[in-house]
Amino acid sequence: MGSIIAFGEIMLRLSPPGRGLLLQSPHFEVGVAGAEANVAIALAQLGHDVAMVSALPDTSLGDGPLATMRGYGVDCAHVLRSAGRMGLYFVEPGTGSRNTDVIYDRAHSAFIETPPEAWAWETILEGATRLHLSGIIPALGSHGAAAATRAASVAERLGIPISFDGNYRAKLWESWDSDPRSILTELIAKADILFGNHRDIALLLGRSFSGQGPARRREAAEAAFAMFPRLKLMASTSRHIEATDLHRLSARIDRPDDYFETGEIVISGIVDRVGTGDAFAAGVLHALAQGESDAKIAEFGLALSRLKHAIPGDNLIVRPRDLEMLSAHGQDVRR
Amino acid sequence: MGSIIAFGEIMLRLSPPGRGLLLQSPHFEVGVAGAEANVAIALAQLGHDVAMVSALPDTSLGDGPLATMRGYGVDCAHVLRSAGRMGLYFVEPGTGSRNTDVIYDRAHSAFIETPPEAWAWETILEGATRLHLSGIIPALGSHGAAAATRAASVAERLGIPISFDGNYRAKLWESWDSDPRSILTELIAKADILFGNHRDIALLLGRSFSGQGPARRREAAEAAFAMFPRLKLMASTSRHIEATDLHRLSARIDRPDDYFETGEIVISGIVDRVGTGDAFAAGVLHALAQGESDAKIAEFGLALSRLKHAIPGDNLIVRPRDLEMLSAHGQDVRR
Amino acid sequence: MGSIIAFGEIMLRLSPPGRGLLLQSPHFEVGVAGAEANVAIALAQLGHDVAMVSALPDTSLGDGPLATMRGYGVDCAHVLRSAGRMGLYFVEPGTGSRNTDVIYDRAHSAFIETPPEAWAWETILEGATRLHLSGIIPALGSHGAAAATRAASVAERLGIPISFDGNYRAKLWESWDSDPRSILTELIAKADILFGNHRDIALLLGRSFSGQGPARRREAAEAAFAMFPRLKLMASTSRHIEATDLHRLSARIDRPDDYFETGEIVISGIVDRVGTGDAFAAGVLHALAQGESDAKIAEFGLALSRLKHAIPGDNLIVRPRDLEMLSAHGQDVRR
Amino acid sequence: MGSIIAFGEIMLRLSPPGRGLLLQSPHFEVGVAGAEANVAIALAQLGHDVAMVSALPDTSLGDGPLATMRGYGVDCAHVLRSAGRMGLYFVEPGTGSRNTDVIYDRAHSAFIETPPEAWAWETILEGATRLHLSGIIPALGSHGAAAATRAASVAERLGIPISFDGNYRAKLWESWDSDPRSILTELIAKADILFGNHRDIALLLGRSFSGQGPARRREAAEAAFAMFPRLKLMASTSRHIEATDLHRLSARIDRPDDYFETGEIVISGIVDRVGTGDAFAAGVLHALAQGESDAKIAEFGLALSRLKHAIPGDNLIVRPRDLEMLSAHGQDVRR
Amino acid sequence: MGSIIAFGEIMLRLSPPGRGLLLQSPHFEVGVAGAEANVAIALAQLGHDVAMVSALPDTSLGDGPLATMRGYGVDCAHVLRSAGRMGLYFVEPGTGSRNTDVIYDRAHSAFIETPPEAWAWETILEGATRLHLSGIIPALGSHGAAAATRAASVAERLGIPISFDGNYRAKLWESWDSDPRSILTELIAKADILFGNHRDIALLLGRSFSGQGPARRREAAEAAFAMFPRLKLMASTSRHIEATDLHRLSARIDRPDDYFETGEIVISGIVDRVGTGDAFAAGVLHALAQGESDAKIAEFGLALSRLKHAIPGDNLIVRPRDLEMLSAHGQDVRR
Amino acid sequence: MGSIIAFGEIMLRLSPPGRGLLLQSPHFEVGVAGAEANVAIALAQLGHDVAMVSALPDTSLGDGPLATMRGYGVDCAHVLRSAGRMGLYFVEPGTGSRNTDVIYDRAHSAFIETPPEAWAWETILEGATRLHLSGIIPALGSHGAAAATRAASVAERLGIPISFDGNYRAKLWESWDSDPRSILTELIAKADILFGNHRDIALLLGRSFSGQGPARRREAAEAAFAMFPRLKLMASTSRHIEATDLHRLSARIDRPDDYFETGEIVISGIVDRVGTGDAFAAGVLHALAQGESDAKIAEFGLALSRLKHAIPGDNLIVRPRDLEMLSAHGQDVRR
């Protein structure tokens, strides 16, 4: 397996322990977060050669997440240490009839204040087999948009395939004088893999899709393939939420001329829903790299996503020896 | 919104963390409890001007709950500091197939040993828009019964409306030479709002109601309105328990000549069922003060009660900015 | 009630708190474990005179579990303190879509390295009403097999009834040059009670049973009664796993000429599935000692097993005053 | 070694973790406490046959301390389970320039409400080699005074030696219409061992002692031996407090015609000073039972007391294998 | 006692538990911090009528510290809720040979982004007896400098005395194009009380003081009184650090024509040195308000500061009932 | 700086939190330990290119310490994953008058059961600048002795300098039929740096040294240089223990014809003494690599060792930005 480069912000995640609330909590649990970092961590555990490109403050606060990522096996040689603050986010995981609540505190972070030219993309991407980006970086402001575009452009020039996870966050885009449609369009035009569903595509194309269920999803995918000729694969999930800890989920792979959609599985006893999309993306990228069929790709992505719902924190924890368990529903104690 | 006066005991709640048992537990989590205090805390967070009338021991043990209540915005100027012990209660929250267990240790507390005349009710109630009491105070003994009666009498004389939450606890009444029926009848006769269901009314009237479901509930309500001419509104919930962490709940408002009953909602993943009745009462009082319709009142009370099931501890935590979320079932991460 | 003797290893159980993973966990919760110890602890709490026969290292690590067992009321006068290490096992309790994972670290323990003759079985068993063994001891190696056989032989000679819990662990048997079928056959031939299902019997008899459901279970039981003429009672459960925290369970008692099988109950919100088989065994032994009917025996075993699913750790915690609650499904707060 | 009987209340100790304060603390650590229970726990660990005589409520709150005491090896067959509340005490251990603070909440406990005749002292004391009492029981009220006197009278009649630890608590005596001097005089008159210093004796004799240091201590001891002819040994410590975590301590044994006083040792890094007097008493009783010289008795008591200062909670934790370490000052890691 | 107004930022303090390090820590303890908030909290506990003037974000993160401050009895009606982030600071308390480390993350906070005119100072200060400011606000940037100056100017116009705590932080001043000397000079010129030592004055006057010890301190004070004619009192401490947990400290009050300096006390077993200067300031303001002599003022300030060294977190916890203990060095358990 | 290779066992360290005892503790804190791993972790943080050579079990228990070491920046490509158990050790850190206690549970670990030929030493050592070993590996048994000898022989052949830390553990050597003197002599004969004091040398040479203090230390060093002609530098510390948390320590460098000994420093408030020798070794190796004078080498080693006493766990945590603080005694808060 070749080397995968993920570019994005590494954040510190602070959340109340157990099922507590931010307001009540006398202490916060500390973890590592960030959509692209989550993908990198999952892929590294599965045996991929993964490097994270990012920036962290040169303080104890930056040392911690750096150590965590290295611990999972992610190459952090291109994580710059610079001035600026640590990007934080506070999560109050919901349960039963209480929603998960998130407070971002990532403005002015060392990452977002790093000038795009600080990363030597030609060097970084040399010999890489893939660059993974998400829609969060460009949403962070003009600095982020420039950084993402620069990375994508170098990758394009070097012929390195790009995977792009939509991760559309309206609030972030609305916080500055942004034009998400044109920025995202430019980025996705360079990608061969897009993680996103019909809502993402509707936004990019400025239109809506009239059908229902799988038909609507296919209609949107076809529109995307028409607009983005380099795109070879789209991956998405459909989620139905019955309670904060009880969801139903299916996964889908679209190709320009074919698609596969899994059945819907029930995910009960949800511990932490955050990061389940990143786990899906990692699963798809892994199965794809293994040369699996689209059905297997969709199912493996769904299996990793399902597992993440049962793991506290942002990061999927999965080792090759766990893979055999993934397809099994409702197994007993392993001993 | 005017000022609401809640009168009752403030207790320290001690419970094992997570899903542990009292016997196993090397430490106890510390919280604030008490039916009337719970109502006060919820209403203060929703923006009401709320004052608690109570008594706490003049020790560090009393300082803690006082600080917590003030922190939620409850005016504690009428919480006396006096001799006597801190009222305690130990809770072992159940889960799955294990019931919640409660051990009260509130006898001889500073609150119950405070003579009824220690509180200057004329001063306290001046300008108040409501006095909120519950059936727990009179159940605590003759001292408690006298204190509740005194508060209610002054309110009656000053023309301040009284809301009364039945909270019938047979064990407390049985622990002394009590006449619950006559004491409660005297108190409820002064109230315009009663929180209680057909079982409470059956007890007060010394009769049973023959029907089933909503019909029986209406029959009881009509009997109560007939007996207590000042009563303008009765609010109650019906609960079906499938497992300790899976209940179904509906809410109901009765008026002398009308009623509204919500559909039954499923409450799964229950974290802590204690305090859910107090959350309902607070929701009803809030929606009523906002001039909502009876349907909205019932639904808002039910929504607050539903939310409380997902919050550890006795206290509902809800801020005005959370209200928009309350009606939604099964929402995703807010970000 | 007479005195019950349990023979087996006492282990230290280390597990991440809450719903965490071993890998993530900055600390481990410490508990006492071991199939036979779990049975002893449950029976002692229910008022039986129970003695544990075992060996622990003479260090602080051995002091802890000894104190815990004595605390539950188990007589530990025959727990030797000797050289060798503390038997450990690490548990990562699953949740939702994540399985429970177990890592044993019990080789070379003080228990398994204790020579069989170190326990004075004639003295220990004097006046006992029952010896309880399980299939784990003989699976631990030739030392364990010799120790179990020695204990069973003395009991047989003294006419003391033996209960035997199959607890078949393929991995343990495969780790040495073992002949599980002959060893287990020799042991079960001395027993009057066997905890085990059709899979255990198929293994012992080297054959399979063709039917489905209750019919197959009866066929297997009849084969076992035929092979083991001393056997008077077989007890077993059937488990269907829907998610790691949602199971369905039924219980069954077989007699040579009759049987009883309970309906299937739903067990939701499972906190810790480990030890639920030991809780069942304890329940059966208790109800049997009380002279209950087979139906009551099966239901009481099932009720204790159900309760254990809601208790963290290996040990069932149940006091005589809790028994009245056991048969009730879905009760509300006890106060 | 024969059997030692300790009579007193078993309390639950609740304290903030680490160096926190009661007011700040979101949780309390739970432990077992009580002067006589502390002595019993220490002696049982050192290999003595010790039985506790007490009463605990028949709830989960009572189950916990009972299990802890049994775990340490104390025979609890004479710990009654009865109505009444659990005796509690809250401790805020000091540090540096902050004092340790204690809040007792033991009134109306199951122990103190148990009628003196509930314990079958003739049976309990049969075959005992010693009855250990302290001045706390009679200080708890007339019930306590009667219970202590009854126990002492039966012991006297059966010829069983009594050790008595003064533990004078002015606040307790002042809380009821008590005559401490006459009650304590009656009890001490029956004892052969008294733990107490010149201040205790001054109080009993209603006089003061004019000297300084060892001379004053000897003068007081001689006065005590003169007044209490059965007394054979007095044991006491002298403490100088430099900071909450830095004390100097010496120990002393007085005999009617001789005495021994150790040099003063420095005790730094104090973790928990509570229970250090009980550890001293246990050390003296142990060394005495071993037939040691008065010098060794004083030094052993002092060594156990010193060790207790470094152990959180009320209970001394010491095992026979630790004894060789006790005399050493400032040893390095044991490995 | 009249009403004291404190103006400053309220921060969330995040620190590793126990004696851990930020890098190692899987969780952070959460507390409230800020020099002026610390003074307000201490004074409110001592019975003063204290109001905090500040701004907090309108999120759960802002709700927590607001609740804490209200809990201590500080009036928070003038704490605005606004946009912007929560000011954070991370503390790694040192011990023995490891220094305490602090990481500020307070830029762009809701407080500092609040325009100075957002606070209605005329209304806020009406009837106040004192305005308390510190050198931290103006150091935070031109916004902060303007806000502090505006508050001080209104106070000056209304004739309300101002106390000013130097709290000189070079790093903050150096982070923007500041002129600390002129800004601080303008503010201190309006104050009647200055907390600061010879180093602060040297900085303000642009000169150094040649003497040693008390002589140098007096020389500096006289220079300050000469430069700031409104100044009536200067309070300061001198600290000698032997180890991170062992300091020596003295306190001093200077008047234009007199001074008092306490002896040096040893402070051992230091738990948390942060906030000890704020505790001193609160002690001085309290004793002054009580009309104490300068010697008593210095000693009381020193006693509160000494106590704070033994309390984890930023906030001094002291209740009127604790005051009698403050002067005592090395007391034993209070019971 | 070139690449340093450390060879040794990586253990999991389990210890009670705070100042608790193993027996009392309901949970254990989990950390990484091992003398050579500690040196590797410290050097990697200081910027060295460090690789660990070891073996860990292929389970979650092995994943954790691997992640921790990688997190600190240690190259773990030569940490084999194999069968066998995780090496554990339990630490009960002492305090004040209580000693630190250690229980090893490392027999049969994956590391010690790995055959010496499993590591490809020629490849591993290619281009290395140093191999670091300690006396613990050969003490673990003949397997360990063979593994250490093999590594040292390859290094010798490749001309790579070897540093050797005596770390003499009598208990380990006595647990098998060992000849420590000949094994250690063979290993040290290949080394250019020896960490060890006069007691280590006395053991190796089978003689004692008659002098006192520095003279005796020099006499021993000269004997060692005479016996081991390749030896260029010896480094050692002298420790005086006043209490478990108060030591005095000096450091010393011996060269064949010269030496330097630092003054003695006081180390108070000790949090965890374990690993302080490894921190010293890392400090000496670092300063040596920087080309510092012997005085600076001794002082830097002493400074790192001093710092480690204030850090919980086995691992020194020190970043380049912390180095400027190391020489300072008793600094105040850094902010």
Side-chain angles (χ1 to χ4, degrees), chain A residues 46-237:
Chain A
L46 292 172
H48 293 264
D49 185 3
V50 184
M52 187 77 201
V53 181
S54 191
L56 282 170
D58 190 18
T59 63
S60 294
L61 295 181
D63 292 347
L66 188 71
T68 301
M69 291 204 69
R70 287 199 298 214
Y72 282 118
V74 178
D75 174 358
C76 291
H78 298 294
V79 176
L80 307 177
R81 304 302 297 269
S82 54
R85 53 185 298 273
M86 183 73 213
L88 304 175
Y89 98 118
F90 297 81
V91 191
E92 185 180 275
T95 182
S97 47
R98 181 161 52 83
N99 297 302
T100 293
D101 207 353
V102 164
I103 299 174
Y104 282 108
D105 182 19
R106 59 197 298 178
H108 309 285
S109 71
F111 174 76
I112 204 61
E113 306 226 321
T114 297
E117 60 277 14
W119 292 286
W121 281 108
E122 276 77 7
T123 312
I124 293 169
L125 288 171
E126 200 184 313
T129 54
R130 175 162 297 287
L131 171 65
H132 183 72
L133 299 172
S134 98
I136 291 175
I137 316 177
L140 292 173
S142 56
H143 240 196
T149 305
R150 184 183 177 104
S153 299
V154 177
E156 184 183 34
R157 198 164 63 239
L158 300 180
I160 292 165
I162 296 173
S163 48
F164 191 89
D165 191 335
N167 271 326
Y168 189 75
R169 303 279 153 86
K171 268 203 253 174
L172 290 175
W173 287 104
E174 286 159 10
S175 70
W176 58 292
D177 178 28
S178 67
D179 179 0
R181 196 166 150 192
S182 78
I183 295 173
L184 291 174
T185 297
E186 184 186 345
L187 286 165
I188 295 172
K190 304 181 197 302
D192 67 333
I193 300 178
L194 174 64
F195 297 95
N197 61 17
H198 64 93
R199 278 185 299 271
D200 297 290
I201 298 161
L203 183 114
L204 285 168
L205 274 61
R207 53 162 290 202
S208 63
F209 301 98
S210 53
Q212 281 295 329
R216 179 166 59 179
R217 296 198 270 273
R218 183 63 194 163
E219 187 189 350
E222 288 178 352
F225 286 117
M227 177 151 180
F228 301 110
R230 292 209 190 160
L231 215 52
K232 294 184 187 152
L233 183 153
M234 286 181 58
S236 60
T237 56

Side-chain angles (χ1 to χ4, degrees), chain D residues 60-76:
Chain D
S60 294
L61 294 181
D63 292 347
L66 188 70
T68 302
M69 291 204 67
R70 287 199 297 214
Y72 282 118
V74 177
D75 174 358
C76 291

Side-chain angles (χ1 to χ4, degrees), chain D residues 146-259:
Chain D
T149 305
R150 184 182 177 103
S153 300
V154 177
E156 183 183 35
R157 196 164 63 239
L158 300 180
I160 292 165
I162 296 172
S163 48
F164 192 89
D165 191 336
N167 270 328
Y168 188 75
R169 302 280 153 87
K171 270 203 253 174
L172 291 176
W173 287 105
E174 285 158 12
S175 71
W176 58 292
D177 179 27
S178 67
D179 178 359
R181 196 167 150 190
S182 77
I183 294 173
L184 291 174
T185 297
E186 183 185 346
L187 286 165
I188 295 172
K190 302 183 198 302
D192 69 332
I193 300 179
L194 174 64
F195 296 95
N197 61 19
H198 63 94
R199 277 185 300 271
D200 296 289
I201 299 161
L203 183 115
L204 286 169
L205 273 63
R207 52 164 287 204
S208 63
F209 301 98
S210 52
Q212 281 297 328
R216 178 164 62 179
R217 295 197 271 275
R218 182 62 194 163
E219 187 189 347
E222 288 179 351
F225 285 117
M227 175 148 182
F228 301 112
R230 292 211 191 159
L231 214 52
K232 293 185 189 152
L233 183 152
M234 287 180 60
S236 60
T237 56
S238 293
R239 185 182 295 270
H240 291 99
I241 297 177
E242 297 186 5
T244 299
D245 45 13
L246 182 64
H247 295 188
R248 283 178 288 121
L249 195 71
S250 63
R252 177 182 174 100
I253 297 294
D254 282 281
R255 296 283 192 175
D257 48 13
D258 201 4
Y259 69 91

Side-chain angles (χ1 to χ4, degrees), chain A residues 59-60, chain E residues 14-16 21-22 89-95 98-104 171 244 274, chain F residues 319 321-322 325 332-335:
Chain A
T59 63
S60 294
Chain E
L14 299 172
S15 55
L21 277 73
L22 282 171
Y89 97 119
F90 297 81
V91 192
E92 185 180 274
T95 181
R98 181 161 53 82
N99 297 303
T100 293
D101 207 355
V102 164
I103 299 174
Y104 282 108
K171 269 202 253 174
T244 299
V274 181
Chain F
R319 291 133 307 190
R321 66 174 174 276
D322 298 323
M325 293 292 156
D332 205 349
V333 182
R334 294 196 242 171
R335 53 181 159 189

